[in-house]
């Protein structure tokens, strides 16, 4: 606002007057940077910071309003345990679940040897107030991937993995995702030489550690706990024994043969009856990321707004038909904000599952999934309301209960069509030719695209 801008100008003028008469090069820039940090700290940095050592970390919360301390809530079982790498969908789902009134424990799996790294979550005052009104809370702990994978005691139970089970005991729901693993790998790579980066295998190790932590959390969870796995399109759909053996041998070679037995998929780690929520190409960022700012390159006369704010509309479809065919997910784009919102609502039982849903969509006998769906994002600046989320899931369950059990590409309802035949003629002869000449369709150079429309019956085009 103009008032806030004037306040910032006055503060900057005051700081400029405090500098020496002949400041060295860069002094004014440093003062301006310090000012921006001060403004950010006083307005938005109401969150908590946790360093991720080799074992379970108990962070100190810098602002307790709307957040529960670890010691105060240690005796109460959490509504939801989220297991993920730093940031990404894991952070978004944790915050969203707390905004929905849930008691959340977020377990962060960091890269091997990343004890000096930090997972920082910055929450706005508005978010904290909304969390407090809803009665939600967040607790944070974490461990490095190598601490979770290596069996230091020799009896099959490592101290770190057993601590995960203790911390997650009695959880009503468990949500796991790999999202954030590449960002964590890049963070660690910045401190390595080019040769060391080429030898690293952090991605595989972090994913394996997520599965180990998920298995320990499930063992300690309450009976009948909801289990949600967030995966990419086509990820862990099927894995044969050859691929499983290869992955296990790679881990054994890297860790000297002293690792725990590692589940091959999240479905195996979560011990079946998993609700799988799949995404396409991800975009958007969590609140702690510098890329969460709405503007690309800062405010301008003609600002460029990030897609995560302009593509908030969603569509939910089944991933696998009853016959086992993959129907959706490949080639689509998904907003991380929408993925976190969808997964958290399933995990907290905000969406009612129909009684006729069974393991018909199971991936295989060893990795049964109760539900396997895909979330796709489209243009729209308004986030889905609770009614819209329920409508999307209701439509999804109707499709799953139909004989085909497949996805519908497009459907629309009309209030009144006096003459269906004339409408079909208009679509085939007027509307379709004009649309097919549009740039969006005619400019398609990769993959299939529509080229003509024909009326086959009075009410079919």
């Amino acid at each position: 606002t103009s008032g806030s801008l004037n306040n910032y100008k006055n503060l900057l003028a005051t700081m400029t007057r405090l500098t020496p008469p002949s400041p060295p090069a860069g002094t004014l820039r440093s003062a301006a940077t310090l000012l921006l940090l001060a403004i950010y700290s006083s307005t938005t940095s109401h969150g908590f910071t946790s360093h991720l050592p080799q074992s379970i970390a108990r962070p100190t919360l810098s602002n307790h309003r709307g957040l529960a301390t670890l010691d105060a809530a240690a005796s109460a079982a959490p509504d939801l345990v989220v297991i993920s790498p730093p940031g990404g969908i894991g952070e978004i789902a944790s915050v969203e679940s707390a905004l929905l009134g849930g008691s959340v424990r977020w377990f962060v799996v960091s890269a091997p040897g990343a004890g000096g790294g930090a997972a920082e979550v910055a929450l706005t005052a508005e978010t904290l107030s909304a969390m407090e009104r809803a009665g939600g809370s967040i607790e944070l702990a974490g461990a490095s991937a190598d601490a979770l994978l290596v069996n230091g005691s020799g009896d099959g139970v490592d101290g770190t993995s057993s601590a995960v089970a203790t911390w997650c005991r009695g959880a009503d729901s468990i949500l796991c995702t790999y999202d954030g693993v590449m960002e964590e790998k890049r963070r660690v790579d910045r401190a390595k030489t080019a040769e060391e980066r080429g030898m690293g295998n952090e991605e595989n190790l972090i994913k394996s550690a997520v599965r180990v932590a998920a298995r320990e959390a499930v063992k300690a969870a309450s009976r009948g706990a909801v289990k949600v796995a967030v995966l990419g399109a086509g990820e862990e759909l099927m894995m044969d024994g050859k691929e499983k053996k290869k992955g296990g041998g790679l881990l054994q070679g890297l860790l000297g043969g002293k690792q725990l037995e590692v589940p091959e998929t999240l479905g195996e780690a979560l011990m079946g009856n998993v609700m799988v929520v799949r995404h396409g190409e991800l975009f958007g960022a969590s609140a702690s990321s510098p890329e969460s700012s709405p503007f690309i390159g800062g405010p301008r006369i003609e600002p460029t707004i990030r897609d995560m704010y302009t593509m908030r509309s969603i569509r939910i479809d089944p991933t696998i038909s009853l016959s086992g065919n993959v129907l959706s997910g490949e080639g689509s784009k998904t907003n991380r904000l929408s993925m976190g919102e969808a997964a958290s609502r399933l995990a907290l039982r905000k969406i009612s599952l129909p009684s006729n849903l069974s393991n018909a969509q199971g991936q295989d006998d060893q990795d049964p999934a109760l539900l396997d769906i895909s979330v796709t994002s489209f243009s729209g600046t308004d986030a889905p309301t609770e009614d819209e989320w329920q409508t999307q899931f209701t439509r999804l369950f109707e499709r799953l209960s139909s004989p085909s059990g497949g996805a519908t590409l497009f459907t629309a309802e009309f209030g009144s069509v006096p003459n269906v035949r004339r409408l079909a003629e208009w679509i085939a002869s007027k509307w379709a030719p004009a649309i097919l000449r549009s740039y969006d369709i005619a400019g398609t150079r990769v993959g299939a695209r529509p080229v003509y429309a024909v009326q086959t019956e009075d009410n079919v085009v």
Side-chain angles (χ1 to χ4, degrees):
T1 62
S2 59
S4 299
L5 183 60
N6 289 333
N7 291 337
Y8 296 163
K9 288 180 179 178
N10 293 336
L11 285 172
L12 183 59
T14 301
M15 294 190 69
T16 303
R17 287 195 298 271
L18 294 177
T19 58
S22 300
T27 301
L28 291 180
R29 180 178 178 182
S30 299
T33 302
L34 177 61
L35 169 65
L36 291 176
L37 289 175
I39 293 172
Y40 179 78
S41 299
S42 64
T43 57
T44 63
S45 188
H46 300 283
F48 52 86
T49 301
S50 170
H51 293 277
L52 302 176
Q54 294 292 327
S55 59
I56 295 291
R58 290 209 167 196
T60 300
L61 304 181
S62 60
N63 188 307
H64 296 280
R65 185 179 64 173
L67 298 175
T69 64
L70 286 171
D71 294 334
S75 60
D79 296 324
L80 172 64
V81 169
V82 178
I83 302 173
S84 75
I89 294 174
E91 178 184 330
I92 294 172
S94 298
V95 174
E96 180 66 20
S97 299
L99 290 173
L100 292 172
S103 171
V104 183
R105 291 184 181 177
W106 180 25
F107 187 82
V108 182
V109 180
S110 61
E120 181 177 342
V121 180
L123 303 179
T124 64
E126 291 79 8
T127 300
L128 287 170
S129 298
M131 193 183 300
E132 185 177 16
R133 290 193 300 270
S137 64
I138 295 180
E139 303 173 41
L140 178 67
S144 63
D146 49 350
L148 284 163
L149 292 172
V150 175
N151 177 12
S153 62
D155 59 359
V157 180
D158 178 67
T160 302
S161 58
S162 61
V164 174
T166 302
W167 196 63
C168 301
R169 190 172 307 281
D172 190 50
S173 304
I174 298 174
L175 191 156
C176 301
T177 179
Y178 298 138
D179 183 46
V181 64
M182 295 309 298
E183 288 75 8
E184 177 68 358
K185 182 181 185 306
R186 285 191 288 268
R187 183 184 70 81
V188 175
D189 283 348
R190 286 195 290 268
K192 294 182 177 180
T193 64
E195 183 179 357
E196 290 173 337
R197 285 194 291 268
M199 297 174 58
N201 191 35
E202 288 84 0
E203 178 183 358
N204 191 25
L205 292 177
I206 294 174
K207 287 184 176 181
S208 298
V210 168
R211 295 195 291 271
V212 168
R215 180 186 60 191
E216 299 302 320
V218 169
K219 291 179 180 178
S222 63
R223 184 180 179 85
V226 174
K227 293 167 282 188
V228 178
V230 178
L231 297 169
E235 189 175 24
E236 296 186 4
L237 277 173
M238 293 181 182
M239 291 184 68
D240 56 32
K242 183 178 179 180
E243 291 175 324
K244 293 181 181 181
K245 183 177 180 180
K246 181 179 178 182
L250 180 61
L251 280 177
Q252 184 173 1
L254 287 171
L255 299 175
K258 292 182 61 180
Q259 81 285 355
L260 294 172
E261 182 181 352
V262 179
E264 298 298 332
T265 65
L266 275 180
E268 180 184 344
L270 294 172
M271 302 180 184
N273 288 335
V274 183
M275 289 188 286
V276 181
V277 186
R278 299 188 182 274
H279 56 76
E281 179 186 352
L282 286 169
F283 63 93
S286 58
S288 63
S289 171
E291 296 182 359
S292 63
S293 168
F295 301 110
I296 299 177
R300 300 176 181 175
I301 295 177
E302 296 182 359
T304 302
I305 302 177
R306 297 185 189 275
D307 288 345
M308 63 182 290
Y309 295 98
T310 61
M311 296 184 65
R312 297 292 277 121
S313 296
I314 56 100
R315 177 183 172 88
I316 305 176
D317 288 297
T319 304
I320 305 174
S321 68
L322 295 180
S323 61
N325 296 320
V326 178
L327 296 170
S328 57
E330 294 286 352
S332 61
K333 296 184 66 176
T334 309
N335 194 334
R336 280 186 172 87
L337 299 179
S338 300
M339 280 300 296
E341 293 168 357
S344 61
R345 279 163 173 77
L346 282 174
L348 292 177
R349 308 174 195 261
K350 299 295 183 182
I351 303 298
S352 300
L353 296 177
S355 57
N356 60 348
L357 253 182
S358 62
N359 289 340
Q361 287 195 316
Q363 297 171 2
D364 55 55
D365 293 337
Q366 295 179 345
D367 190 7
L370 181 66
L371 187 67
D372 198 322
I373 62 176
S374 295
V375 178
T376 308
S377 295
F378 298 95
S379 296
T381 57
D382 295 329
T385 63
E386 294 301 325
D387 289 341
E388 289 170 342
W389 279 114
Q390 190 61 56
T391 299
Q392 282 286 333
F393 276 100
T394 299
R395 182 188 61 82
L396 168 73
F397 297 144
E398 289 175 353
R399 295 299 304 169
L400 290 175
S401 62
S402 66
S404 62
T408 301
L409 185 61
F410 175 78
T411 182
E413 296 180 1
F414 296 91
S416 175
V417 180
N419 192 319
V420 177
R421 181 180 60 82
R422 291 185 61 186
L423 174 63
E425 290 177 352
W426 176 81
I427 291 176
S429 61
K430 302 293 184 181
W431 180 82
I435 293 299
L436 293 176
R437 289 194 298 267
S438 67
Y439 177 80
D440 289 342
I441 295 180
T444 302
R445 293 292 179 266
V446 179
R449 64 183 177 93
V451 293
Y452 71 95
V454 60
Q455 182 179 2
T456 58
E457 299 179 21
D458 285 348
N459 61 345
V460 177
V461 177

